[in-house]
Amino acid sequence: MPSSDCLFCRIISGEIPATKVYEDDTLVAFNDISPQAPMHALIVPREHVATLNDLGEKHDAIVGAMIRRAAAIASERGYAVSGYRTVFNCNADAGQAVFHIHLHVLGGRKMGWPPG
Ligand code: 5GP
Ligand code: ZN
């Protein structure tokens, strides 16, 4: 259920503006407000799910669609061959700041490993 306290629910509903790059019945993708690479999009399910720990079997198709959408966005922007990174942060040690699951899709520069 949408939460009026959740930033990404408010972006999904259009209450808060964002540059949306894709949307369908289950997913919305928009550019990160503070991009960490030339491409930095966030892919979110329309359903409010706070963290990866809250996913159930019923979400398997949505998560699969999120990952395939990340590949499609990267491909559209020309990064399929050069490469790109996808990241889900979960809870404090990973630096999760918005508690509505989101898949980061970053590309257009060489990424370091291990991540900071
Ligand atoms: P997290 O740290 O939770 O994995 O990532 C949250 C992301 O949301 C960050 O990369 C941050 O820049 C992005 N973000 C935070 N507030 C906004 C906003 O109002 N609009 C957009 N488009 N992105 C946001
Ligand atoms: Zn939400």
Side-chain angles (χ1 to χ4, degrees):
M1 83 190 129
S3 163
S4 57
D5 296 335
C6 171
L7 175 63
F8 288 170
C9 284
R10 295 169 79 189
I11 286 176
I12 291 163
S13 73
E15 185 188 339
I16 291 177
T19 303
K20 291 179 180 167
V21 297
Y22 177 82
E23 55 186 319
D24 64 22
D25 288 349
T26 55
L27 304 180
V28 178
F30 51 90
N31 288 333
D32 197 292
I33 202 168
S34 177
Q36 301 301 309
M39 170 181 71
H40 188 173
L42 302 171
I43 302 169
V44 302
R46 287 188 185 275
E47 179 184 343
H48 179 86
V49 179
T51 78
L52 291 191
N53 298 332
D54 302 301
L55 288 168
E57 193 176 344
K58 68 175 183 177
H59 297 112
D60 286 357
I62 292 175
V63 175
M66 291 170 73
I67 294 168
R68 291 212 316 119
R69 184 51 47 191
I73 290 170
S75 182
E76 282 164 12
R77 303 217 195 163
Y79 300 126
V81 173
S82 55
Y84 56 93
R85 180 162 295 169
T86 55
V87 177
F88 279 110
N89 291 320
C90 183
N91 281 337
D93 276 4
Q96 184 176 1
V98 179
F99 287 85
H100 179 134
I101 60 167
H102 47 281
L103 181 58
H104 295 257
V105 193
L106 302 115
R109 67 169 171 82
K110 184 88 176 158
M111 306 282 165
W113 193 264

